[in-house]
């Protein structure tokens, strides 16, 4: 009725006539004068406009009502508003270039001040709930119409591939609203027009435009602006922006400055890197899913899993997965993800127990990923190797006629489990059989993966090297380094070890030097230690000592650089172990040179790092043994075995010292040496000392076999174990 009354008011015909005159002048490209104007003759633009109006009249009821609202409140439709209406019509009809031409004629700068004042007064009126106020210079509908025109201009520029201009146009909307309402939008602000919808669309679109314009820094600023300002975005839009921002931070490939949060509380967490900021966003989203504020989105867990995996936060990921409701994640998937988390953090026992539940008959006994992971975990333990073989064979059975690549992976983990089982074999015939089967499985894996899986190639090299197929192992070592793009240190080191087994020490040292040149400063520790051992093998003891000293200096500098960062805990633990073993290597050199004072100094340094170290107690035993203090040496070796019962050098040295003391039966000595060989079948010292005992006992045949084995292994012994 209100609209009808307005239409029937006196002067309605005059206003309609005025609107038609404005449209005619606008379409002709002329400005409207203050007084009445004589209608201009029809131009092509006018005819096109009339045609478009006729074709879209049925769908333009809302636009007409908004125009009427503007007319009711302001008494007339000005030039900018008229262009905004026409531009909207053109855009809705798909005439992008024509719409852009119309929008570019709007002088937003000339009305920006009025728009800001209008928005500010509207907010004050809404807060005070009072009707006594000065009328704003523009109607809220006019402001909404003009801001929509700016947004549609940005969309038109985007459609034409002019992304930077589109982003700049979109920024105008946010600048006007933000400067007008510095404290943010009140609730239900602009609910009676399209203002909130336009603003939400602009906030969401702006970072996407900057990304398309290849301006990542501006995109980051736009994302943060969208999330840190009060724009009255609905929950789903806010969640969508958070997810897109997290994805951009994770995969953009660049590192940006952390956010500057002026209002952040001291006790609150402030992200320092892209990864931390992405994790924070994704964890907020996951919390909202748990509280049923937003809908479940499985990709959130996928991205969070990746982010926490590369940042070493697998415990945090496990906690997040455990908090997910059963309706959001399948029980089998939960067990599998948790198993991966625990395995990644080194808790193989818990991971394997979870996988056993997953693979039970009550859940999913044919889950191929679970079977493969379970077999991989079992392959790392001699006690569980047989279970690993069974898991791998179940996976192969489930994969018959399916994916060749997964079949290759199944053969790969089968080979690892067979290799582990061979090391625990009680008889030589069983060990040789399992080694052969392991090699066959790994070769099958190589064929099925088309020799493109670096893990398969690496273990093909290791297995051939341990079986002393050194030429074949050298071939695979080269293939591995090439496949990894010369970027993996373990490939270079394996290559050098194979060369050292062939007694090509200068070539091996050249390989290590090349690896040092290819690696970063903090990644050279293991390489330098290997280089020192190669120098010792060539009789260059002085050079080896210099290399060890360089390594120790680098480790001390690195330790100071790391400080107390929690996310570098694994690196610090690795460097701590490296420093400990380096002091022990130096002590061994000094013991062989009878430089006992220097050896004691090295042991005091290692004791400061770890006083309960089996290797430190073993070196202390060697020092006492070299001084002729056999009982003291035996105490050290016994203590070393108390710390680590599987410490092979201590088992061998215990047998040697007991033999020197001469107060133990040969059976006791043999038990120590056989125990060492069960752990390391290729240990030259164990075979040699076992041969000596058999020789003293008059078992010539057994002694000859031991000496022959020791000689064969010594001829192809690497400076460091292959595995």
């Amino acid at each position: 009725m209100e609209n009808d009354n307005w239409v029937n008011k006196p002067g309605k015909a005059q206003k309609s006539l005025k609107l038609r005159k404005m449209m005619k002048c606008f379409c002709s490209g002329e400005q409207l004068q203050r007084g009445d104007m004589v209608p201009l003759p029809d131009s092509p633009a006018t005819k096109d406009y009339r045609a478009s109006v006729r074709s879209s009249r049925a769908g333009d009821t809302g636009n007409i009502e908004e125009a009427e609202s503007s007319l009711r409140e302001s008494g007339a439709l000005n030039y900018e508003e008229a262009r905004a209406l026409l531009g909207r019509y053109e855009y809705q009809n798909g005439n992008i270039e024509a719409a852009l031409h119309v929008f570019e004629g709007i002088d937003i700068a000339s009305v920006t001040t009025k728009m800001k004042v209008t928005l500010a007064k509207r907010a004050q009126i809404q807060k005070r709930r009072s009707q006594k106020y000065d009328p704003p210079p523009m109607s809220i509908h006019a402001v909404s119409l003009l801001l929509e025109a700016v947004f549609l201009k940005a969309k038109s520029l985007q459609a034409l591939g002019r992304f930077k201009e589109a982003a700049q146009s979109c920024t105008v909307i946010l600048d006007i609203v933000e400067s007008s309402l510095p404290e943010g939008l009140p609730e239900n602000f602009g609910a009676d027009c399209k203002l909130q919808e336009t603003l939400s669309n602009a906030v969401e679109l702006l970072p996407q435009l900057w990304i398309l314009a290849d301006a990542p820094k501006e995109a980051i600023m736009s994302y943060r602006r969208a999330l840190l300002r009060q724009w009255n975005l609905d929950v789903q839009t806010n969640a969508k922006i958070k997810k897109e921002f997290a994805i951009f931070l994770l995969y953009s490939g660049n590192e940006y400055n952390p956010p500057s949060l002026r209002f952040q509380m001291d006790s609150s967490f402030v992200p320092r890197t892209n990864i931390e900021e992405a994790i924070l966003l994704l964890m907020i989203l996951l919390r909202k899913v748990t509280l049923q504020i937003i809908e479940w989105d499985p990709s959130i867990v996928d991205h969070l899993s990746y982010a926490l995996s590369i940042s070493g936060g697998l415990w945090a990921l496990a906690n997040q997965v455990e908090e997910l409701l059963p309706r959001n994640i399948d029980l089998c998937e939960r067990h599998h993800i948790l198993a991966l988390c625990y395995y990644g953090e080194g808790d193989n026992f818990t991971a394997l127990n979870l996988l056993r539940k997953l693979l039970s008959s009550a859940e999913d006994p044919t889950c191929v990923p679970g079977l493969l992971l379970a077999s991989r975990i079992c392959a790392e333990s001699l006690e569980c190797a047989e279970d690993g073989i069974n898991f791998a064979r179940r996976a192969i059975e489930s994969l018959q006629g399916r994916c060749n690549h997964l079949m290759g992976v199944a053969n790969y983990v089968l080979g690892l489990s067979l290799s582990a089982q061979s090391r625990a074999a009680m008889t030589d015939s069983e060990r040789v059989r399992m080694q052969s089967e392991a090699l066959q499985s790994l070769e099958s894996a190589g064929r099925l993966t088309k020799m493109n899986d670096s893990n398969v190639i690496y273990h093909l090299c290791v297995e051939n090297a341990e079986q002393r197929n050194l030429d074949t192992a050298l071939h695979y070592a080269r293939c591995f380094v090439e496949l990894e793009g010369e970027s993996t240190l373990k490939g270079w080191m394996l290559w050098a070890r194979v060369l050292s087994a062939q007694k090509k020490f200068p070539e091996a040292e050249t390989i290590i030097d090349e690896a040092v040149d290819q690696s970063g400063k903090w990644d050279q520790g293991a390489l330098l230690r290997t280089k020192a051992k190669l120098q010792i093998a060539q009789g260059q003891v002085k050079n080896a000592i210099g290399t060890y000293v360089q390594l120790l200096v680098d480790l001390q500098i690195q330790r100071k650089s790391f400080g107390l960062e929690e996310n570098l805990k694994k690196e610090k633990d690795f460097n701590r172990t490296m420093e400990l073993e380096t002091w022990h290597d130096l002590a061994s050199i000094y013991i062989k040179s009878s430089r006992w004072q220097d050896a004691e100094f090295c042991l005091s340094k290692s004791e400061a790092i770890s006083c309960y170290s089996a290797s430190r107690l073993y070196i202390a035993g060697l020092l006492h043994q070299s001084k002729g203090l056999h009982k003291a040496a035996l105490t050290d070796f016994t203590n070393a075995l108390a710390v680590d019962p599987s410490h092979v050098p201590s088992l061998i040295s215990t047998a040697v010292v007991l033999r020197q003391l001469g107060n133990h039966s040969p059976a006791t000595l043999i038990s120590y040496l056989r125990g060492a060989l069960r752990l390391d079948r290729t240990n030259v010292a164990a075979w040699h000392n076992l041969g000596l005992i058999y020789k003293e006992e008059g078992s010539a045949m057994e002694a000859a076999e031991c000496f022959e084995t020791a000689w064969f292994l010594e001829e192809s012994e690497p400076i460091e174990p292959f595995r």
Side-chain angles (χ1 to χ4, degrees):
M1 288 298 295
E2 185 179 346
N3 285 346
D4 293 339
N5 292 337
W6 173 76
V7 170
N8 293 325
K9 281 181 182 179
K12 174 261 178 185
Q14 287 86 345
K15 287 189 177 181
S16 298
L17 177 62
K18 190 171 184 179
L19 176 58
R20 288 196 296 272
K21 288 179 180 180
M22 292 168 65
M23 287 297 183
K24 281 186 177 182
C25 296
F26 164 65
C27 295
S28 301
E30 301 181 12
Q31 293 291 337
L32 196 68
Q33 303 299 324
R34 289 183 178 273
D36 292 336
M37 293 184 60
V38 178
L40 295 174
D42 287 349
S43 67
T46 308
K47 294 178 181 179
D48 292 341
Y49 167 68
R50 288 172 176 169
S52 67
V53 170
R54 283 195 296 271
S55 65
S56 60
R57 183 170 296 167
D60 290 336
T61 304
N63 299 334
I64 293 171
E65 289 178 354
E66 189 167 347
E68 289 179 351
S69 298
S70 295
L71 285 169
R72 284 200 307 273
E73 296 182 19
S74 64
L77 193 68
N78 64 27
Y79 180 76
E80 281 73 21
E81 294 170 32
R83 289 193 82 99
L85 275 177
L86 180 58
R88 179 202 283 172
Y89 293 143
E90 295 289 359
Y91 182 84
Q92 289 175 342
N93 289 325
N95 303 323
I96 302 299
E97 293 185 1
L100 181 59
H101 176 71
V102 174
F103 290 135
E104 286 178 338
I106 299 176
D107 186 6
I108 287 293
S110 65
V111 293
T112 296
T113 302
K114 293 181 179 180
M115 295 169 68
K116 291 180 179 180
V117 172
T118 300
L119 291 171
K121 286 194 173 184
R122 175 66 177 242
Q124 292 174 0
I125 294 168
Q126 190 165 335
K127 287 181 180 179
R128 293 175 184 173
R129 304 292 181 184
S130 172
Q131 299 298 322
K132 296 179 180 180
Y133 58 87
D134 295 331
M138 297 178 66
S139 71
I140 192 64
H141 292 280
V143 174
S144 174
L145 184 63
L146 291 173
L147 290 180
E148 183 192 20
V150 178
F151 175 72
L152 293 179
K153 177 183 176 182
K155 293 289 290 183
S156 301
L157 289 166
Q158 179 189 12
L160 297 173
R162 295 159 62 178
F163 304 119
K164 184 176 181 180
E165 296 174 60
Q168 292 169 344
S169 180
C170 216
T171 304
V172 170
I173 302 173
L174 273 60
D175 289 344
I176 290 174
V177 176
E178 190 172 27
S179 59
S180 307
L181 307 167
E183 296 181 1
L185 275 71
E187 292 185 8
N188 300 320
F189 187 83
D192 54 343
C193 59
K194 296 180 67 176
L195 179 60
Q196 182 62 61
E197 179 185 347
T198 300
L199 182 60
S200 298
N201 291 335
V203 170
E204 185 179 355
L205 179 64
L206 182 57
Q208 299 174 13
L209 293 174
W210 283 125
I211 292 172
L212 292 171
D214 195 21
K217 291 184 178 179
E218 288 78 3
I220 292 284
M221 294 173 61
S222 299
Y223 275 123
R224 289 173 179 161
R225 185 181 189 182
L227 297 174
L228 296 176
R229 297 291 301 179
Q230 178 63 35
W231 301 110
N232 280 356
L233 302 177
D234 63 82
V235 174
Q236 295 301 329
T237 301
N238 184 276
K240 183 180 178 183
I241 293 173
K242 280 188 174 73
K243 178 183 169 183
E244 290 177 353
F245 187 22
I247 291 172
F248 182 74
L249 289 168
L250 283 176
Y251 310 114
S252 63
N254 294 308
E255 187 67 40
Y256 306 101
N257 293 328
S260 177
L261 305 180
R262 292 176 296 171
F263 308 107
Q264 191 79 14
M265 297 176 63
D266 293 338
S267 60
S268 300
F269 171 76
V270 179
R272 294 162 293 182
T273 64
N274 283 7
I275 302 298
E276 287 186 359
E277 192 169 359
I279 290 172
L280 178 61
L281 291 167
L282 292 169
M283 292 182 75
I284 291 172
L285 290 174
L286 207 56
R287 174 63 61 183
K288 289 186 175 182
V289 168
T290 304
L291 297 175
Q292 302 183 43
I293 298 174
I294 61 175
E295 297 178 357
W296 164 245
D297 182 356
S299 66
I300 295 174
V301 175
D302 294 338
H303 295 302
L304 183 60
S305 299
Y306 170 75
L308 290 172
S309 297
I310 63 177
S311 62
L314 292 176
W315 287 128
L317 176 59
N319 292 334
Q320 292 296 317
V321 172
E322 288 174 347
E323 290 180 2
L324 290 176
L325 298 175
R327 65 172 172 270
N328 291 334
I329 186 170
D330 181 71
L331 184 60
C332 295
E333 185 180 1
R334 181 196 297 270
H335 282 159
H336 187 227
I337 294 176
L338 289 175
L340 285 169
C341 292
Y342 285 114
Y343 176 61
E345 289 291 347
D347 189 353
N348 291 7
F349 178 77
T350 303
L352 190 57
N353 281 341
L354 285 166
L355 290 170
R356 291 187 192 278
K357 290 182 181 179
L358 169 64
L359 299 170
S360 65
S361 57
E363 291 193 25
D364 190 359
T366 61
C367 176
V368 171
L371 290 167
L372 296 178
L373 179 58
S375 179
R376 183 69 180 86
I377 294 174
C378 290
E380 298 180 10
S381 171
L382 298 182
E383 293 78 11
C384 300
E386 187 173 356
D387 289 338
I389 295 171
N390 294 331
F391 284 130
R393 286 175 174 161
R394 283 169 59 184
I396 291 173
E397 184 179 352
S398 299
L399 285 167
Q400 290 297 332
R402 292 168 61 187
C403 176
N404 279 344
H405 181 77
L406 280 178
M407 183 68 81
V409 176
N411 276 276
Y412 161 67
V413 294
L414 176 60
L416 296 184
S417 296
L418 286 166
S419 178
Q421 184 73 353
S422 71
R423 295 194 293 276
M426 299 302 294
T427 62
D428 289 341
S429 60
E430 185 182 5
R431 176 176 54 82
V432 171
R433 178 182 62 81
M434 288 189 171
Q435 283 181 335
S436 177
E437 290 181 8
L439 201 53
Q440 289 176 8
S441 296
L442 290 171
E443 288 171 349
S444 297
R447 288 192 299 270
L448 289 166
T449 57
K450 299 180 180 179
M451 299 303 290
N452 288 325
D453 191 322
S454 59
N455 288 324
V456 174
I457 296 175
Y458 179 83
H459 283 92
L460 271 170
C461 177
V462 171
E463 197 63 35
N464 277 284
E466 288 193 336
Q467 297 185 32
R468 297 307 190 261
N469 303 323
L470 295 180
D471 290 335
T472 304
L474 187 61
H475 166 72
Y476 284 125
R478 289 170 177 162
C479 290
F480 177 79
V481 171
E482 291 175 2
L483 188 61
E484 290 289 306
E486 302 182 351
S487 61
T488 305
L489 295 184
K490 70 176 185 178
W492 291 103
M493 295 180 66
L494 183 58
W495 190 351
R497 289 168 185 168
V498 175
L499 287 171
S500 71
Q502 295 179 323
K503 307 308 175 187
K504 299 177 180 178
F505 300 119
E507 293 181 35
E509 188 175 354
T510 301
I511 291 296
I512 293 298
D513 287 337
E514 188 173 350
V516 169
D517 293 337
Q518 297 278 351
S519 61
K521 183 68 174 177
W522 299 146
D523 298 326
Q524 296 176 0
L527 294 171
L528 292 175
R529 188 175 179 218
T530 302
K531 180 177 180 178
K533 292 180 180 180
L534 287 168
Q535 290 170 333
I536 292 172
Q538 298 174 76
Q540 302 170 4
V541 177
K542 187 176 181 180
N543 292 340
I545 293 174
T547 303
Y548 278 128
V549 170
Q550 178 188 347
L551 172 56
L552 289 170
V553 171
D554 291 346
L555 289 172
Q556 290 177 6
I557 295 173
Q558 191 172 358
R559 183 174 62 249
K560 292 178 181 178
S561 301
F562 280 168
L564 299 175
E565 297 290 342
E566 284 297 325
N567 58 338
L568 295 175
K569 184 177 183 302
K570 290 184 179 180
E571 287 86 345
K572 290 193 292 184
D573 289 345
F574 175 79
N575 291 336
R576 178 189 173 114
T577 303
M578 177 70 66
E579 185 176 0
L580 186 73
E581 297 302 328
T582 301
W583 284 116
H584 295 163
D585 290 347
L586 272 173
S588 298
I589 294 176
Y590 293 137
I591 289 171
K592 291 176 182 177
S593 304
S594 298
R595 296 169 58 178
W596 296 329
Q597 188 174 358
D598 291 332
E600 289 172 352
F601 172 79
C602 293
L603 286 174
S604 66
K605 287 291 186 179
S606 72
E607 186 177 10
I609 299 172
S610 175
C611 57
Y612 297 107
S613 165
S615 60
R616 190 191 70 80
L617 293 167
Y618 165 71
I619 297 297
L622 291 182
L623 178 60
H624 286 131
Q625 187 180 8
S626 66
K627 293 179 178 180
L629 305 174
H630 298 305
K631 290 185 178 180
L634 181 59
T635 300
D636 290 327
F637 297 141
T638 303
N639 290 336
L641 290 174
V643 174
D644 181 7
S646 62
H647 192 252
V648 173
S650 295
L651 287 169
I652 298 170
S653 295
T654 300
V656 171
V657 171
L658 289 175
R659 178 171 166 266
Q660 291 172 340
L661 291 172
N663 56 357
H664 283 76
S665 66
T668 302
L669 308 183
I670 291 173
S671 67
Y672 278 106
L673 295 172
R674 286 294 183 188
L677 289 173
R678 275 194 297 272
L679 295 167
D680 182 7
R681 297 288 301 182
T682 61
N683 192 288
V684 175
W687 284 109
H688 177 75
N689 284 285
L690 188 60
L692 291 176
I693 295 172
Y694 279 132
K695 181 181 178 182
E696 291 175 355
E697 290 300 303
S699 303
M701 184 175 296
E702 288 85 351
E705 290 179 357
C706 291
F707 289 138
E708 184 179 2
T709 303
W711 174 83
F712 171 76
L713 291 173
E714 187 177 16
E715 287 295 307
S716 57
E717 184 181 22
I719 55 167
E720 294 174 320
F722 295 115
R723 194 176 297 278

